[in-house]
Amino acid sequence: MPVYKAPLEDMRFVLHQLFDSNEVTALQGNEEFTLELIDSVLEEAAKFSEGVLFPLNQSGDLEGCTYENGVVRTPAGFKDAYKAFCEGGWTAMGADPEYGGQGLPIPAAMMVEEMLCSANVAFGLYPGLTHGAYVALKHAGSAEQKQMYLPNLVSGKWSGTMCLTEPHCGTDLGMLRTRAVPNDDGSYSITGNKIFISAGEHDLTENIIHLVLARLPDAPAGVKGISMFVVPKFLLREDGSLGPRNGAQCTAIEHKMGIKASATCAMSFDGAKGWLVGEPHKGMRAMFVMMNTERLSVGIQGLGVAETAYQNAVAYARDRIQGRSLTGVKAADKQADPIMVHPDVRRMLLTMRAYIEGCRALAGWVARELEILAKSTDEDARQAADDFASLMTPIVKAMFTDLGFEIASLAVQTYGGHGYIRDHGIEQYVRDARISMLYEGTNGIQALDLVGRKLPQDGGRLLTRFLDPVLEFIEAHEDNAALAEFLPPLQQALEHVQVATGYIMENAMSNHDEIGAASVDYLRLFGLTALAFVWARMVAIAAPKAEGEDAQFYRAKVQTAKFFMQRLLPQTGALLAAIQSGSATMMEFEDSAF
């Protein structure tokens, strides 16, 4: 059976030492969140994740969701777990107290989200989508809509979805066909079909609030003609109680490779009554607030699955005996040595560890900036935070999920043939991780967003929000002996980013295909450099503590950083070479030869 233990020590390191929690708790509205309270929340989240959600992960995968006559049922145990989740206040964790939320700072909430994804990513999608709907309505909804929907979304009494994709259009939403016809009472009749709708129908909540993209009769063509509507599963009476069923039906659920306990639905809207959210034809703007929240959450899904896969790979490597060490017997009392003695197994385990801890640190940085954006009274600080979060969102979504899948695959490799069969439960993590590279915009789309939109935005201002802190750190620590072997590889990777950026910007002027050809490699190059920076920062903290209390934890930080810098970061050179090779090898290949 799989194992999972929340990595609380590392989470506290990121929150409190790497990114000083006092800076976050000093923000307006965070005064009550002491370090002790944040740690208490993390400990309780760990107990719930380990004790309630994790035991349902494998059984939920085996049973999956069921569909019959429009009714979707979640696997055994999910309803009770969801009830306990709501009663524990976890649905309200990151929401505004004005609507019944707890207002937990985003960095702490992101760590809790990681635990949920590690323990049971399919379960986590239900409240995760609801929080996204909450964010969109809070941003774009009218005062009446906020009061009508947000308290019940925050409490978990109701859940939420986002309904974008249609059978003929996914990424290209300009082709969207769902129609919204005005009614005399100020509502709209929504008609159309949506697919791949996570949590579109289920038995966990008494109502489901769909946010639906549709076109008004006078809508201009393309994405500029899309509006957003709130369409509840059950209509509401004037007193807020549930009324008759709306014209929104689940017509099927998808039979998927992974996340089988999450209901992925085909939805039919047949004259369903909905209400405009925000301005007409401005639905994409409102929906992207939700999508950006979801993209960061999907990145955390990749990190969460990777953490559990790593823990199980370590446990197996300790117990499985096979062969003898190349440098002599290590377990003389046994027929063979544990496979952990073999260099290739250690390579896989350290690769997993280095990526996971680096990604957690990078997520902590992004989360801190999002908290500053949400609560700071300093407009310059808020602008800088917004720039940084915008720049890093596609990197977090794409790189974290790419690595989540790679790490889950490495975990299977650690198990050998036993990892490929269902008994050990490790193959589930490969299947569950794969979807995160696809939904909320495929990782190729994230790379295009980074290179095509974020890099040139405002004359490259967003890029400086990353480059400036790195350059300042290097200059401040050039005489720090503890960082002597870490700064040169960081500097080289940063130079690779700068050269690659210049190459793309120069050549894209004459050939836009250069953007597409370079984008995926560039995102990985940038992401690895960002990981190198946070690893260098972690070494600056850990190295002086490597001989004192908790010495092993800090020594492991330094040793893992060395592995990252020497074995993983050199990829940036190859990525730069690939980028500089240009688009010709891709675009000049004859179509008919494929």
Side-chain angles (χ1 to χ4, degrees):
M1 293 292 290
V3 297
Y4 172 66
K5 188 76 174 174
L8 293 177
E9 186 175 21
D10 199 54
M11 290 178 169
R12 288 192 290 263
F13 173 79
V14 172
L15 288 176
H16 303 325
Q17 297 186 60
L18 184 59
F19 301 108
D20 187 357
S21 292
N22 291 310
E23 295 180 5
V24 169
T25 57
L27 292 170
Q28 186 174 355
N30 286 349
E31 297 82 2
E32 294 182 6
F33 289 102
T34 63
L35 272 59
E36 292 77 15
L37 179 55
I38 289 174
D39 285 347
S40 172
V41 171
L42 294 181
E43 289 164 9
E44 290 303 313
K47 290 177 185 176
F48 190 87
S49 298
E50 295 164 7
V52 178
L53 298 183
F54 186 63
L56 296 174
N57 190 51
Q58 196 171 14
S59 62
D61 176 66
L62 291 171
E63 181 182 347
C65 292
T66 58
Y67 172 86
E68 185 178 8
N69 297 325
V71 176
V72 176
R73 293 181 176 85
T74 53
F78 269 53
K79 287 181 72 172
D80 289 340
Y82 185 79
K83 181 180 178 182
F85 189 78
C86 296
E87 290 174 348
W90 298 110
T91 54
M93 175 179 61
D96 192 327
E98 181 180 352
Y99 304 105
Q102 298 171 11
L104 185 69
I106 294 171
M110 192 171 284
M111 296 299 179
V112 174
E113 188 170 11
E114 181 198 321
M115 293 185 226
L116 301 180
C117 294
S118 288
N120 195 325
V121 67
F123 177 94
L125 288 173
Y126 294 99
L129 267 295
T130 299
H131 185 71
Y134 157 84
V135 169
L137 281 172
K138 185 174 183 290
H139 171 77
S142 66
E144 181 183 10
Q145 288 170 341
K146 292 176 185 179
Q147 290 302 321
M148 183 179 296
Y149 297 110
L150 295 189
N152 283 325
L153 289 173
V154 169
S155 70
K157 187 176 181 180
W158 298 348
S159 63
T161 75
M162 59 187 216
C163 299
L164 291 79
T165 306
E166 299 184 1
H168 62 284
C169 73
T171 299
D172 190 355
L173 289 172
M175 298 167 62
L176 185 143
R177 296 174 185 163
T178 299
R179 305 185 311 278
V181 178
N183 296 321
D184 293 339
D185 62 0
S187 66
Y188 294 80
S189 291
I190 313 295
T191 301
N193 296 301
K194 302 286 184 177
I195 61 169
F196 302 161
I197 308 306
S198 297
E201 179 63 38
H202 55 79
D203 57 357
L204 302 181
T205 60
E206 66 179 37
N207 203 3
I208 301 174
I209 310 304
H210 303 288
L211 294 182
V212 183
L213 293 186
R215 292 186 182 281
L216 293 167
D218 61 345
V223 294
K224 294 182 179 180
I226 296 175
S227 301
M228 186 165 79
F229 300 84
V230 57
V231 183
K233 173 182 174 180
F234 288 100
L235 297 171
L236 305 182
R237 299 188 177 94
E238 289 188 10
D239 62 0
S241 63
L242 298 186
R245 179 72 184 255
N246 204 354
Q249 297 285 338
C250 173
T251 56
I253 59 173
E254 303 295 344
H255 302 285
K256 308 186 297 289
M257 174 181 177
I259 57 167
K260 295 184 178 183
S262 170
T264 305
C265 303
M267 300 294 300
S268 173
F269 296 90
D270 185 10
K273 186 170 272 194
W275 288 263
L276 182 68
V277 178
E279 301 177 49
H281 319 313
K282 303 294 184 183
M284 287 301 294
R285 182 188 303 172
M287 187 64 82
F288 264 105
V289 173
M290 180 178 187
M291 287 187 70
N292 283 334
T293 298
E294 293 302 315
R295 284 173 175 172
L296 292 167
S297 293
V298 171
I300 299 303
Q301 287 176 32
L303 174 58
V305 172
E307 173 65 35
T308 309
Y310 165 69
Q311 289 188 23
N312 282 274
V314 170
Y316 190 79
R318 291 188 194 282
D319 293 340
R320 175 70 167 172
I321 60 170
Q322 202 82 175
R324 289 297 187 185
S325 167
L326 298 175
T327 56
V329 173
K330 297 295 187 290
D333 60 326
K334 297 178 181 177
Q335 287 184 299
D337 289 329
I339 62 172
M340 187 175 276
V341 305
H342 302 306
D344 189 55
V345 172
R346 299 177 79 85
R347 174 192 63 83
M348 292 189 288
L349 296 179
L350 279 167
T351 297
M352 295 183 230
R353 183 187 184 99
Y355 281 142
I356 289 167
E357 292 186 10
C359 287
R360 185 175 294 120
L362 184 56
W365 186 9
V366 175
R368 186 192 67 168
E369 297 303 311
L370 288 171
E371 187 70 6
I372 291 170
L373 174 61
K375 294 178 181 174
S376 177
T377 56
D378 183 333
E379 284 303 315
D380 290 339
R382 293 183 74 251
Q383 182 63 64
D386 191 20
D387 290 346
F388 180 77
S390 296
L391 175 71
M392 298 307 296
T393 292
I395 296 171
V396 169
K397 194 282 181 184
M399 186 176 71
F400 283 28
T401 58
D402 280 347
L403 292 177
F405 181 71
E406 291 174 24
I407 288 167
S409 183
L410 283 174
V412 169
Q413 191 71 22
T414 305
Y415 275 70
H418 290 284
Y420 195 69
I421 61 175
R422 182 172 285 177
D423 298 28
H424 286 280
I426 201 70
E427 52 83 35
Q428 180 186 344
Y429 297 108
V430 177
R431 293 186 287 103
D432 283 353
R434 191 61 182 86
I435 182 59
S436 61
M437 302 162 71
L438 302 174
Y439 56 20
E440 306 307 335
T442 65
N443 288 357
I445 294 297
Q446 304 305 315
L448 282 174
D449 177 47
L450 174 65
V451 177
R453 291 196 184 104
K454 302 301 172 56
L455 288 188
Q457 186 173 327
D458 297 319
R461 188 185 73 210
L462 274 62
L463 183 60
T464 65
R465 304 300 191 186
F466 173 77
L467 295 179
D468 288 351
V470 180
L471 292 170
E472 290 168 7
F473 177 86
I474 291 172
E475 182 179 357
H477 289 273
E478 59 186 2
D479 296 325
N480 186 340
L483 288 172
E485 62 182 302
F486 297 96
L487 293 186
L490 171 60
Q491 287 176 300
Q492 185 176 56
L494 190 65
E495 289 171 8
H496 290 161
V497 170
Q498 292 169 315
V499 172
T501 304
Y503 174 87
I504 295 168
M505 293 300 102
E506 179 181 351
N507 288 277
M509 298 292 290
S510 57
N511 182 3
H512 290 339
D513 279 336
E514 292 294 330
I515 295 174
S519 59
V520 170
D521 290 329
Y522 183 86
L523 187 147
R524 179 61 71 97
L525 167 58
F526 199 126
L528 288 170
T529 305
L531 294 187
F533 176 50
V534 293
W535 267 119
R537 290 188 62 172
M538 287 191 278
V539 170
I541 295 168
K545 301 179 180 181
E547 302 300 329
E549 187 178 356
D550 297 322
Q552 187 180 55
F553 174 83
Y554 294 110
R555 283 199 306 272
K557 278 286 177 211
V558 176
Q559 291 165 347
T560 309
K562 287 181 181 179
F563 179 87
F564 177 83
M565 294 291 188
Q566 295 178 20
R567 301 286 300 199
L568 301 179
L569 188 59
Q571 296 172 65
T572 61
L575 290 165
L576 174 60
I579 290 167
Q580 291 177 317
S581 74
S583 63
T585 54
M586 302 176 196
M587 305 313 296
E588 292 177 3
F589 192 86
E590 297 177 41
D591 291 0
S592 60
F594 277 106

